[in-house]
């Protein structure tokens, strides 16, 4: 279980920008959490704290009850495997000069997942589990030789080789066309069902949230203003801001 307790992030010292203010959240394996909110509401900052990329200014992030700041190097390595990121590809998540094989091999080697001899088998299994069949047709391609949906699947496969329990996805499908997006979401929900992977899925796309989320958190101006089961949030929003968001969403 991944738990954020009253986490705040202030950028730029005492009179800086409060990007996230006293956010609390619990993410469990097998649960699909969506975080919604307008641009600038602190979603990506919360994601970066969850990934251990930036420390909270106050409050804590803990995995199975152990605070990130108290982890020894071994626990930290474990954290970096257990909690994986899938970001938006245009953000340069894949190196344009690396083949798919190299992108996966680097991760497998860095975390000592498999021997050199088993590398290809592990990489291929990950690619096929995200629907890239046969893996041999993808291993030697460069990012520019893949479609947007295929690149996003490679990013998921790269996370999967580490056997994560929770994947933090920040606008991971936002740039994709509707049918391609649906395909990538099917891969993600299949992994949730088959492997018990949990998601913290950040998006401004409410129809997607309505389709895939179990639990919804609503952020505004750095604060989580409301959270709850998807059905309750959509059918009986308690916060004025949630009502405004839902009213502005297309075709729910
Ligand atoms: P969202 O992902 O919801 O659009 P962000 O977390 O990116 O929101 O940003 C929240 C606020 O924090 C914004 O006002 C943004 O300008 C500010 N911010 C984000 N990152 C930094 C940073 N590294 N330095 C200073 N301000 C930042
Ligand atoms: Mg963002």
């Amino acid at each position: 279980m991944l738990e954020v307790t009253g986490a705040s992030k202030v950028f730029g010292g005492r009179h800086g920008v409060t990007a996230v203010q006293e956010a609390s959240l619990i993410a469990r394996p097998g649960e699909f959490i969506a975080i919604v909110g307008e641009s600038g509401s602190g979603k990506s900052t919360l994601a970066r704290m969850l990934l251990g990329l930036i420390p909270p200014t106050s409050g804590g992030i803990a995995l199975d009850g152990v605070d990130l700041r108290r982890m020894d190097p071994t626990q930290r390595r474990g954290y970096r495997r257990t909690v994986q990121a899938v970001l938006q590809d245009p953000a340069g998540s894949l190196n344009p000069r690396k083949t798919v094989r190299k992108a996966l091999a680097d991760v497998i080697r860095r975390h000592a997942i498999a021997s050199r001899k088993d590398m290809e088998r592990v990489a291929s299994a990950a690619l096929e589990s995200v629907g890239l069949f046969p893996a041999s047709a993808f291993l030697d391609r460069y990012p520019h030789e893949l479609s947007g949906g295929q690149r996003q699947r490679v990013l998921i496969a790269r996370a999967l080789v580490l056997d994560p329990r929770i994947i933090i996805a920040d606008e991971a499908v936002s740039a994709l066309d509707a049918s391609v997006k649906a395909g990538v979401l099917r891969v993600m929900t299949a992994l949730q069902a088959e492997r018990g992977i949990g998601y913290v899925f950040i998006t401004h796309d409410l129809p997607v949230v309505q389709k895939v989320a179990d639990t919804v958190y609503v952020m505004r101006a750095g604060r989580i203003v409301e959270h709850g089961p998807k059905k309750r949030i959509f059918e009986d929003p308690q916060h004025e801001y949630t009502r405004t968001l839902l009213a502005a969403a297309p075709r729910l």
Side-chain angles (χ1 to χ4, degrees), residues 8 14 22 31 44 81 84 103 114 117 159 185 196 223 232:
S8 298
R14 209 145 58 89
E22 290 176 35
E31 181 184 15
S44 294
R81 285 182 56 167
Q84 280 294 305
K117 159 166 101 30
L185 289 169
R223 289 186 177 276
R232 208 277 294 150

Side-chain angles (χ1 to χ4, degrees), residues 11 17 19 38-45:
F11 288 111
V17 181
E38 65 203 355
S39 175
S41 57
K43 306 182 299 295
S44 294
T45 302

Side-chain angles (χ1 to χ4, degrees), residues 86-89 148-156 172 176 184:
V86 174
L87 307 178
Q88 208 176 338
D89 180 56
Q150 288 169 342
R151 277 200 295 275
Q152 224 45 45
R153 287 170 193 248
V154 169
L155 289 174
I156 297 170
L176 304 175
V184 175

Side-chain angles (χ1 to χ4, degrees), residues 9-12 17-20 37-48 54 170-171 202 219 222:
K9 183 69 193 182
V10 181
F11 288 111
V17 181
T18 303
V20 174
E38 65 203 355
S39 175
S41 57
K43 306 182 299 295
S44 294
T45 302
L46 179 57
R48 292 169 68 209
I54 52 171
D170 191 353
E171 303 284 7
I202 292 168
M219 283 190 82

Side-chain angles (χ1 to χ4, degrees), residues 111-127:
H111 290 267
I113 301 300
S115 65
R116 180 174 286 275
K117 159 166 101 30
D118 285 336
M119 196 103 79
E120 180 145 333
R121 186 181 53 75
V122 171
S124 297
L127 290 172

